[in-house]
Amino acid sequence: MDNNKKFLFCNPDATAGEYDTARMFPVSRLQGIQELNTDSVRLAFADFGLADDTLVDITVTDGTCKDYIKELLENINF
């Protein structure tokens, strides 16, 4: 499938059923993935019309960052 047709859904609201602050980012705008520490991954997206990137920090189970990144990339690619 064309990466221009894939999206990543990010919802920072921890309350079940709340989507007021959720955003969807096209995979084609993904600029980078960074392991911040043992339980945090950062995604950087080129934002439309803005000079800065939009950063999305994701908390994962401690020590599983590499596994999370690998699985994310496999899902994007296949």
Side-chain angles (χ1 to χ4, degrees):
M1 177 177 239
D2 184 1
N3 277 344
N4 289 320
K5 297 178 183 176
K6 293 182 181 181
F7 292 84
L8 293 174
F9 176 78
C10 302
N11 184 12
D13 198 329
T15 307
E18 292 295 321
Y19 300 105
D20 294 341
T21 55
R23 287 189 62 189
M24 287 179 55
F25 297 94
V27 168
S28 61
R29 306 295 285 187
L30 181 63
Q31 298 293 305
I33 302 172
Q34 178 184 9
E35 181 180 348
L36 297 176
N37 52 49
T38 61
D39 68 346
S40 186
V41 175
R42 175 173 285 166
L43 306 178
F45 294 92
D47 220 336
F48 297 100
L50 300 176
D52 292 331
D53 291 340
T54 297
L55 303 176
V56 177
D57 292 338
I58 300 171
T59 302
V60 297
T61 303
D62 194 29
T64 63
C65 286
K66 286 183 177 48
D67 294 334
Y68 175 81
I69 293 169
K70 180 181 175 189
E71 188 171 329
L72 176 64
L73 293 175
E74 285 176 356
N75 281 294
I76 288 171
N77 289 323
F78 300 104

Coordinates of all heavy atoms in Angstrom, one line a residue:
M1 N 0.8 -1.2 0.0 CA 0.0 0.0 0.0 C 0.9 1.2 0.0 O 1.9 1.3 0.6 CB -0.9 0.0 1.2 CG -1.8 1.2 1.3 SD -2.9 1.1 2.7 CE -4.4 1.3 1.8
D2 N 0.5 2.2 -0.7 CA 1.1 3.5 -0.8 C 1.2 4.2 0.6 O 0.2 4.4 1.3 CB 0.4 4.4 -1.8 CG 1.0 5.7 -2.0 OD1 2.1 6.0 -1.5 OD2 0.5 6.5 -2.9
N3 N 2.4 4.7 1.0 CA 2.5 5.3 2.3 C 1.8 6.7 2.4 O 1.6 7.2 3.4 CB 4.0 5.5 2.7 CG 4.6 4.3 3.3 OD1 3.9 3.4 3.7 ND2 5.9 4.2 3.4
N4 N 1.4 7.2 1.2 CA 0.7 8.4 1.2 C -0.8 8.2 1.7 O -1.5 9.1 1.9 CB 0.7 9.1 -0.2 CG 2.0 9.7 -0.5 OD1 2.7 10.3 0.3 ND2 2.5 9.5 -1.7
K5 N -1.2 6.9 1.8 CA -2.5 6.6 2.1 C -2.6 6.0 3.5 O -3.7 5.5 4.0 CB -3.1 5.6 1.1 CG -3.2 6.2 -0.3 CD -3.8 5.2 -1.2 CE -3.8 5.9 -2.6 NZ -4.2 4.9 -3.6
K6 N -1.5 5.9 4.2 CA -1.4 5.4 5.6 C -1.3 6.5 6.6 O -0.7 7.5 6.3 CB -0.2 4.4 5.8 CG -0.3 3.2 5.0 CD 0.9 2.3 5.2 CE 0.8 1.0 4.4 NZ 2.0 0.2 4.7
F7 N -1.9 6.3 7.8 CA -1.9 7.3 8.8 C -1.6 6.7 10.2 O -1.9 5.5 10.4 CB -3.3 8.0 8.9 CG -3.6 8.8 7.7 CD1 -4.2 8.3 6.6 CD2 -3.4 10.2 7.7 CE1 -4.5 9.0 5.4 CE2 -3.7 11.0 6.6 CZ -4.2 10.4 5.5
L8 N -1.0 7.5 11.0 CA -0.8 7.1 12.4 C -1.8 8.0 13.3 O -1.8 9.2 13.2 CB 0.6 7.3 12.9 CG 1.7 6.5 12.2 CD1 3.1 6.9 12.6 CD2 1.4 5.0 12.5
F9 N -2.5 7.3 14.1 CA -3.5 8.0 15.0 C -2.9 8.1 16.4 O -2.4 7.1 17.0 CB -4.8 7.1 15.1 CG -5.8 7.7 16.0 CD1 -6.6 8.7 15.7 CD2 -5.9 7.1 17.3 CE1 -7.6 9.2 16.6 CE2 -6.9 7.6 18.2 CZ -7.7 8.6 17.8
C10 N -2.8 9.3 16.9 CA -2.2 9.6 18.2 C -3.3 10.3 19.1 O -3.8 11.3 18.7 CB -1.0 10.5 18.1 SG 0.3 9.8 17.0
N11 N -3.5 9.7 20.2 CA -4.5 10.3 21.2 C -3.8 10.4 22.5 O -3.7 9.5 23.3 CB -5.7 9.3 21.3 CG -6.8 9.9 22.2 OD1 -6.7 11.1 22.5 ND2 -7.8 9.1 22.5
P12 N -3.5 11.7 22.9 CA -2.8 11.9 24.1 C -3.7 11.8 25.4 O -3.2 11.8 26.5 CB -2.2 13.3 24.0 CG -3.1 14.0 23.0 CD -3.6 12.9 22.1
D13 N -5.0 11.8 25.2 CA -5.9 11.8 26.3 C -6.0 10.4 26.9 O -6.5 9.5 26.2 CB -7.3 12.3 25.8 CG -8.2 12.7 27.0 OD1 -8.0 12.1 28.1 OD2 -9.0 13.6 26.8
A14 N -5.7 10.2 28.1 CA -5.7 8.9 28.8 C -7.1 8.5 29.2 O -7.3 7.3 29.6 CB -4.8 8.9 30.0
T15 N -8.1 9.4 29.1 CA -9.4 9.0 29.5 C -10.1 8.2 28.4 O -10.1 8.7 27.3 CB -10.2 10.3 29.8 OG1 -9.5 11.1 30.8 CG2 -11.6 10.0 30.4
A16 N -10.6 7.1 28.8 CA -11.3 6.2 27.8 C -12.4 7.0 27.1 O -13.2 7.7 27.7 CB -11.9 5.0 28.4
G17 N -12.5 6.9 25.7 CA -13.5 7.5 25.0 C -13.3 9.0 24.6 O -14.1 9.6 23.9
E18 N -12.2 9.6 25.1 CA -12.0 11.0 24.8 C -11.1 11.1 23.6 O -10.0 10.5 23.6 CB -11.3 11.7 26.1 CG -12.3 11.8 27.2 CD -13.4 12.7 26.9 OE1 -13.3 13.8 26.3 OE2 -14.6 12.4 27.4
Y19 N -11.5 11.9 22.7 CA -10.7 12.1 21.5 C -10.5 13.6 21.1 O -10.1 13.9 20.0 CB -11.4 11.4 20.3 CG -11.5 9.9 20.5 CD1 -12.7 9.3 20.9 CD2 -10.4 9.1 20.5 CE1 -12.8 8.0 21.1 CE2 -10.5 7.7 20.7 CZ -11.7 7.2 21.1 OH -11.8 5.8 21.3
D20 N -10.8 14.5 22.0 CA -10.7 15.9 21.7 C -9.3 16.4 21.2 O -9.2 17.3 20.5 CB -11.1 16.8 22.9 CG -12.6 16.5 23.3 OD1 -13.3 16.1 22.4 OD2 -13.0 16.9 24.4
T21 N -8.3 15.8 21.7 CA -6.9 16.2 21.4 C -6.2 15.2 20.4 O -5.0 15.4 20.2 CB -6.1 16.4 22.7 OG1 -6.1 15.2 23.4 CG2 -6.6 17.5 23.5
A22 N -7.0 14.3 19.9 CA -6.4 13.3 19.0 C -6.0 13.9 17.7 O -6.6 14.8 17.2 CB -7.3 12.1 18.8
R23 N -5.0 13.4 17.1 CA -4.6 13.8 15.7 C -4.2 12.6 14.9 O -3.7 11.6 15.4 CB -3.4 14.7 15.8 CG -3.7 16.1 16.3 CD -2.7 17.1 16.2 NE -2.3 17.4 14.9 CZ -1.2 18.1 14.5 NH1 -0.5 18.6 15.5 NH2 -0.9 18.3 13.3
M24 N -4.3 12.7 13.6 CA -3.9 11.7 12.7 C -2.8 12.4 11.8 O -2.9 13.5 11.4 CB -5.0 11.2 11.8 CG -6.0 10.4 12.5 SD -7.3 9.8 11.5 CE -6.5 9.0 10.1
F25 N -1.7 11.6 11.6 CA -0.5 12.1 10.9 C -0.3 11.1 9.7 O -0.3 9.9 9.9 CB 0.7 12.1 11.7 CG 0.7 13.1 12.9 CD1 0.3 12.6 14.1 CD2 1.0 14.4 12.7 CE1 0.2 13.5 15.2 CE2 0.9 15.3 13.8 CZ 0.6 14.8 15.0
P26 N -0.2 11.7 8.5 CA 0.2 10.8 7.4 C 1.6 10.2 7.6 O 2.5 10.9 8.0 CB 0.2 11.7 6.2 CG -0.4 13.0 6.6 CD -0.3 13.1 8.1
V27 N 1.7 8.9 7.3 CA 3.0 8.2 7.5 C 4.0 8.9 6.6 O 5.2 9.0 7.0 CB 2.9 6.7 7.1 CG1 4.2 6.1 7.0 CG2 2.0 6.0 8.2
S28 N 3.6 9.4 5.5 CA 4.6 10.1 4.5 C 5.2 11.3 5.2 O 6.2 11.8 4.7 CB 3.9 10.5 3.2 OG 2.8 11.4 3.5
R29 N 4.6 11.9 6.3 CA 5.2 13.1 7.0 C 6.1 12.7 8.1 O 6.6 13.6 8.8 CB 4.0 14.0 7.5 CG 3.0 14.4 6.4 CD 3.6 15.2 5.3 NE 3.8 16.6 5.9 CZ 4.2 17.6 5.1 NH1 4.4 17.4 3.8 NH2 4.4 18.8 5.6
L30 N 6.2 11.4 8.4 CA 7.1 10.9 9.5 C 8.6 11.3 9.1 O 9.1 10.8 8.1 CB 6.9 9.4 9.7 CG 7.7 8.8 10.9 CD1 7.3 9.4 12.2 CD2 7.5 7.3 10.9
Q31 N 9.2 12.1 10.0 CA 10.6 12.5 9.7 C 11.6 11.7 10.5 O 12.7 11.6 10.1 CB 10.7 14.0 10.1 CG 9.8 14.9 9.3 CD 10.3 15.0 7.9 OE1 11.4 15.2 7.6 NE2 9.4 14.7 7.0
G32 N 11.2 11.2 11.7 CA 12.2 10.4 12.5 C 11.5 9.8 13.7 O 10.5 10.2 14.1
I33 N 12.3 8.8 14.2 CA 11.9 8.0 15.4 C 13.1 8.0 16.3 O 14.2 7.7 15.9 CB 11.4 6.6 15.1 CG1 10.2 6.6 14.1 CG2 11.0 5.9 16.3 CD1 9.9 5.2 13.6
Q34 N 12.9 8.4 17.6 CA 14.0 8.5 18.5 C 13.6 7.8 19.8 O 12.5 8.0 20.3 CB 14.3 9.9 18.8 CG 15.4 10.2 19.8 CD 15.6 11.6 20.1 OE1 14.8 12.5 19.7 NE2 16.7 11.9 20.8
E35 N 14.5 6.9 20.3 CA 14.4 6.3 21.6 C 14.9 7.3 22.6 O 16.1 7.6 22.6 CB 15.1 5.0 21.6 CG 15.0 4.3 23.0 CD 15.8 3.0 23.0 OE1 16.2 2.5 21.9 OE2 15.9 2.4 24.1
L36 N 14.0 7.9 23.4 CA 14.4 8.9 24.4 C 15.1 8.3 25.6 O 16.1 8.8 26.1 CB 13.2 9.7 24.8 CG 12.6 10.6 23.7 CD1 11.4 11.3 24.3 CD2 13.6 11.5 23.1
N37 N 14.5 7.2 26.2 CA 15.0 6.5 27.3 C 14.4 5.1 27.3 O 13.8 4.7 26.3 CB 14.8 7.2 28.6 CG 13.3 7.6 28.8 OD1 12.5 6.8 28.6 ND2 13.1 8.8 29.2
T38 N 14.5 4.3 28.4 CA 14.0 2.9 28.3 C 12.5 2.8 28.2 O 12.1 1.7 27.9 CB 14.5 2.2 29.6 OG1 13.9 2.8 30.7 CG2 16.0 2.2 29.7
D39 N 11.8 3.8 28.4 CA 10.3 3.7 28.3 C 9.6 4.8 27.5 O 8.5 5.1 27.7 CB 9.7 3.6 29.7 CG 9.8 4.8 30.5 OD1 10.5 5.7 30.1 OD2 9.1 4.9 31.5
S40 N 10.4 5.5 26.6 CA 9.8 6.6 25.9 C 10.4 6.7 24.4 O 11.6 6.6 24.2 CB 10.1 7.9 26.6 OG 9.4 8.9 26.0
V41 N 9.5 6.8 23.5 CA 9.8 6.9 22.1 C 9.2 8.2 21.6 O 8.1 8.6 21.9 CB 9.2 5.7 21.3 CG1 9.5 5.9 19.8 CG2 9.8 4.4 21.8
R42 N 10.0 8.9 20.7 CA 9.5 10.2 20.1 C 9.4 10.0 18.6 O 10.3 9.6 18.0 CB 10.4 11.3 20.5 CG 10.0 12.6 19.8 CD 10.9 13.8 20.3 NE 10.4 14.1 21.6 CZ 11.1 14.9 22.4 NH1 12.3 15.4 22.1 NH2 10.6 15.2 23.6
L43 N 8.2 10.4 18.1 CA 8.0 10.5 16.6 C 8.0 12.0 16.2 O 7.4 12.8 16.9 CB 6.7 9.9 16.3 CG 6.4 8.4 16.8 CD1 5.0 8.0 16.3 CD2 7.4 7.5 16.3
A44 N 8.7 12.3 15.1 CA 8.7 13.6 14.6 C 8.0 13.6 13.3 O 8.4 12.9 12.4 CB 10.2 14.1 14.5
F45 N 7.1 14.5 13.1 CA 6.3 14.7 11.9 C 6.5 16.1 11.3 O 6.4 17.0 12.0 CB 4.8 14.5 12.1 CG 4.4 13.1 12.5 CD1 4.4 12.7 13.9 CD2 4.2 12.1 11.6 CE1 4.0 11.5 14.3 CE2 3.8 10.8 12.0 CZ 3.8 10.5 13.3
A46 N 6.8 16.2 10.0 CA 6.8 17.5 9.3 C 5.4 18.0 9.3 O 4.5 17.3 8.8 CB 7.4 17.3 7.9
D47 N 5.2 19.1 9.9 CA 3.8 19.7 10.0 C 3.5 20.5 8.7 O 4.4 21.1 8.2 CB 3.6 20.5 11.2 CG 2.3 20.3 11.9 OD1 1.4 19.9 11.2 OD2 2.2 20.6 13.1
F48 N 2.3 20.5 8.3 CA 1.9 21.2 7.1 C 2.0 22.7 7.2 O 1.4 23.3 8.1 CB 0.4 20.8 6.7 CG 0.2 19.4 6.5 CD1 -0.3 18.6 7.4 CD2 0.6 18.9 5.2 CE1 -0.5 17.2 7.2 CE2 0.4 17.5 5.0 CZ -0.2 16.7 5.9
G49 N 2.9 23.3 6.4 CA 3.0 24.7 6.3 C 3.7 25.4 7.5 O 3.8 26.6 7.6
L50 N 4.3 24.6 8.4 CA 5.0 25.1 9.5 C 6.5 24.8 9.4 O 6.9 23.8 8.9 CB 4.4 24.5 10.9 CG 3.0 24.8 11.1 CD1 2.5 24.1 12.4 CD2 2.7 26.3 11.2
A51 N 7.3 25.7 10.0 CA 8.7 25.5 10.0 C 9.2 24.4 10.9 O 10.2 23.7 10.7 CB 9.5 26.8 10.3
D52 N 8.5 24.2 12.0 CA 8.8 23.2 13.0 C 8.1 21.8 12.8 O 7.1 21.8 12.2 CB 8.5 23.7 14.4 CG 9.3 24.9 14.8 OD1 10.4 25.0 14.4 OD2 8.8 25.7 15.6
D53 N 8.7 20.8 13.4 CA 8.1 19.5 13.4 C 7.1 19.4 14.5 O 7.3 20.1 15.5 CB 9.2 18.4 13.5 CG 10.1 18.3 12.3 OD1 9.7 18.7 11.2 OD2 11.2 17.7 12.4
T54 N 6.2 18.5 14.4 CA 5.3 18.1 15.5 C 5.9 16.9 16.2 O 6.2 15.9 15.5 CB 3.9 17.9 15.1 OG1 3.4 19.0 14.5 CG2 3.0 17.4 16.2
L55 N 6.1 17.0 17.5 CA 6.7 15.9 18.2 C 5.7 15.1 19.0 O 4.8 15.8 19.7 CB 7.8 16.4 19.2 CG 9.0 17.1 18.5 CD1 9.9 17.7 19.6 CD2 9.7 16.3 17.5
V56 N 5.7 13.8 18.9 CA 4.7 13.0 19.6 C 5.6 12.0 20.5 O 6.3 11.2 20.0 CB 3.8 12.2 18.7 CG1 2.9 11.2 19.5 CG2 3.1 13.1 17.8
D57 N 5.4 12.2 21.8 CA 6.1 11.3 22.8 C 5.2 10.1 23.2 O 4.0 10.4 23.5 CB 6.6 12.0 24.0 CG 7.7 13.0 23.7 OD1 8.4 12.9 22.7 OD2 7.8 14.0 24.5
I58 N 5.7 8.9 23.1 CA 4.9 7.7 23.4 C 5.6 7.0 24.5 O 6.8 6.7 24.5 CB 4.8 6.8 22.2 CG1 4.1 7.6 21.0 CG2 4.1 5.5 22.5 CD1 4.2 6.9 19.7
T59 N 4.8 6.7 25.6 CA 5.3 5.9 26.7 C 5.0 4.4 26.4 O 3.9 4.0 26.1 CB 4.7 6.3 28.0 OG1 4.9 7.7 28.2 CG2 5.3 5.5 29.2
V60 N 6.1 3.6 26.5 CA 5.9 2.1 26.3 C 6.4 1.4 27.6 O 6.9 2.0 28.5 CB 6.8 1.7 25.1 CG1 6.3 2.3 23.8 CG2 8.2 1.9 25.3
T61 N 6.2 0.1 27.7 CA 6.6 -0.7 28.8 C 8.2 -0.6 28.9 O 8.8 -0.6 27.9 CB 6.2 -2.1 28.6 OG1 4.8 -2.2 28.5 CG2 6.6 -3.0 29.8
D62 N 8.7 -0.4 30.1 CA 10.1 -0.2 30.3 C 10.9 -1.3 29.6 O 10.7 -2.4 29.8 CB 10.4 -0.2 31.8 CG 11.8 0.4 32.1 OD1 12.3 1.2 31.3 OD2 12.3 0.0 33.2
G63 N 11.9 -0.8 28.8 CA 12.8 -1.8 28.2 C 12.3 -2.3 26.8 O 12.9 -3.2 26.3
T64 N 11.2 -1.8 26.3 CA 10.6 -2.4 25.1 C 10.6 -1.4 23.9 O 10.0 -1.6 22.9 CB 9.2 -2.9 25.3 OG1 8.3 -1.7 25.6 CG2 9.1 -3.9 26.4
C65 N 11.4 -0.3 24.0 CA 11.5 0.7 23.0 C 11.9 0.1 21.6 O 11.2 0.4 20.6 CB 12.4 1.8 23.3 SG 11.8 2.9 24.6
K66 N 12.9 -0.7 21.6 CA 13.4 -1.2 20.3 C 12.3 -2.2 19.7 O 12.1 -2.1 18.5 CB 14.7 -2.0 20.5 CG 15.9 -1.0 20.7 CD 17.2 -1.8 20.8 CE 18.4 -0.9 20.9 NZ 18.3 0.2 21.9
D67 N 11.6 -2.9 20.5 CA 10.6 -3.8 20.1 C 9.4 -3.0 19.5 O 8.8 -3.3 18.5 CB 10.1 -4.7 21.2 CG 11.1 -5.7 21.6 OD1 12.0 -6.1 20.8 OD2 11.0 -6.2 22.8
Y68 N 9.1 -1.9 20.2 CA 8.0 -1.0 19.8 C 8.3 -0.4 18.4 O 7.5 -0.4 17.5 CB 7.7 0.1 20.8 CG 6.7 1.1 20.3 CD1 5.3 0.8 20.4 CD2 7.1 2.3 19.7 CE1 4.4 1.7 19.9 CE2 6.1 3.1 19.2 CZ 4.8 2.8 19.3 OH 3.8 3.7 18.8
I69 N 9.5 0.1 18.3 CA 9.9 0.8 17.0 C 9.9 -0.3 15.9 O 9.5 0.0 14.8 CB 11.3 1.4 17.2 CG1 11.2 2.6 18.1 CG2 11.9 1.9 15.8 CD1 12.6 3.2 18.6
K70 N 10.5 -1.4 16.1 CA 10.5 -2.5 15.1 C 9.1 -2.9 14.7 O 8.8 -2.9 13.5 CB 11.2 -3.7 15.7 CG 11.3 -4.9 14.7 CD 12.0 -6.1 15.3 CE 11.9 -7.2 14.3 NZ 12.3 -8.5 14.9
E71 N 8.2 -3.0 15.6 CA 6.8 -3.4 15.3 C 6.1 -2.3 14.5 O 5.3 -2.5 13.6 CB 6.0 -3.8 16.5 CG 4.6 -4.3 16.2 CD 3.9 -4.9 17.4 OE1 4.6 -5.4 18.3 OE2 2.7 -4.9 17.4
L72 N 6.3 -1.0 14.9 CA 5.7 0.1 14.3 C 6.2 0.2 12.8 O 5.4 0.3 11.9 CB 6.1 1.4 15.0 CG 5.7 2.7 14.3 CD1 4.2 2.8 14.3 CD2 6.3 3.9 15.0
L73 N 7.5 0.0 12.6 CA 8.0 0.0 11.2 C 7.5 -1.1 10.4 O 7.2 -1.0 9.2 CB 9.5 0.1 11.2 CG 10.1 1.4 11.8 CD1 11.6 1.3 11.9 CD2 9.7 2.6 11.0
E74 N 7.4 -2.3 11.0 CA 6.8 -3.4 10.2 C 5.4 -3.2 9.8 O 5.0 -3.5 8.7 CB 6.9 -4.7 11.1 CG 8.3 -5.3 11.2 CD 8.4 -6.5 12.1 OE1 7.4 -6.8 12.8 OE2 9.5 -7.0 12.2
N75 N 4.6 -2.6 10.7 CA 3.2 -2.2 10.4 C 3.1 -1.1 9.3 O 2.2 -1.2 8.5 CB 2.5 -1.8 11.6 CG 2.0 -3.0 12.5 OD1 1.2 -3.8 12.0 ND2 2.6 -3.1 13.6
I76 N 4.0 -0.2 9.3 CA 4.1 0.8 8.3 C 4.4 0.2 6.9 O 3.8 0.5 5.9 CB 5.0 2.0 8.7 CG1 4.5 2.8 9.8 CG2 5.3 2.8 7.4 CD1 5.5 3.8 10.4
N77 N 5.4 -0.7 6.9 CA 5.9 -1.2 5.7 C 5.0 -2.3 5.1 O 5.1 -2.6 3.9 CB 7.3 -1.7 5.9 CG 8.3 -0.6 6.1 OD1 8.2 0.5 5.4 ND2 9.3 -0.8 6.9
F78 N 4.2 -3.0 5.9 CA 3.4 -4.1 5.3 C 2.0 -3.8 5.5 O 1.2 -4.0 6.1 CB 3.9 -5.4 5.9 CG 5.3 -5.7 5.7 CD1 6.3 -5.5 6.6 CD2 5.7 -6.1 4.4 CE1 7.6 -5.8 6.4 CE2 7.1 -6.3 4.1 CZ 8.0 -6.2 5.1

